[in-house]
Amino acid sequence: MHLAYPAVLSALLFCTGLYGVLARRNAILVLMSVELMLNAVNLNLVAFDVWLSRTAEETLHSGQALTLFTIAIAAAEIGIGLAIVLAVHRNRGTADIDRLRDTSERHDPDGTDHDARTAEPTDEAQKAEATA
């Protein structure tokens, strides 16, 4: 088998994952697209490892070892990512990336964003106004 076949398949998978990361608004679909990109990298690592082991006398299989590390990192990433998405969904009621804002920001219906600290006066500011 030529090296071009898995390399082209890997490039197609990576481009599909990249499109999913850039175009999707749901956090779960973005995580799935990142996993697709990591699997494309794994396919490339194994394909180049097999190709290089045919030309060299030493077969260290470093590409396959790196693939195992990548799979472990991807499993940890999806576990932590899903936990964060579920926690955000419980608190905010949505997993839409565009609607998620920092907790210190407040979004007004007229389209302007205000900092929560400057939009609402604090108790000290109210006391200062009352005494003045």
Side-chain angles (χ1 to χ4, degrees):
M1 176 185 265
H2 294 285
L3 181 63
Y5 297 130
V8 168
L9 178 63
S10 176
L12 289 174
L13 284 174
F14 192 84
C15 289
T16 304
L18 185 64
Y19 173 75
V21 166
L22 295 177
R24 299 293 178 189
R25 298 295 170 230
N26 191 348
I28 303 280
L29 294 177
V30 170
L31 285 174
M32 288 174 57
S33 298
V34 169
E35 289 294 321
L36 193 62
M37 292 168 60
L38 287 172
N39 285 330
V41 170
N42 288 339
L43 180 63
N44 244 351
L45 284 171
V46 171
F48 276 98
D49 181 51
V50 169
W51 181 66
L52 288 174
S53 69
R54 288 182 186 169
T55 59
E57 284 98 34
E58 297 178 9
T59 56
L60 294 176
H61 299 294
S62 58
Q64 293 178 16
L66 283 174
T67 299
L68 289 176
F69 285 120
T70 307
I71 289 171
I73 290 171
E77 175 258 335
I78 199 69
I80 292 172
L82 279 175
I84 291 171
V85 168
L86 287 175
V88 167
H89 188 271
R90 282 183 191 156
N91 289 337
R92 305 272 176 99
T94 184
D96 191 8
I97 294 175
D98 288 338
R99 292 188 182 179
L100 298 179
R101 299 268 184 207
D102 192 14
T103 57
S104 65
E105 293 180 359
R106 189 181 78 203
H107 186 70
D108 288 338
D110 61 353
T112 59
D113 290 335
H114 298 288
D115 191 9
R117 291 171 285 169
T118 60
E120 298 173 6
T122 61
D123 291 334
E124 293 134 10
Q126 289 175 352
K127 288 178 185 177
E129 283 182 19
T131 57

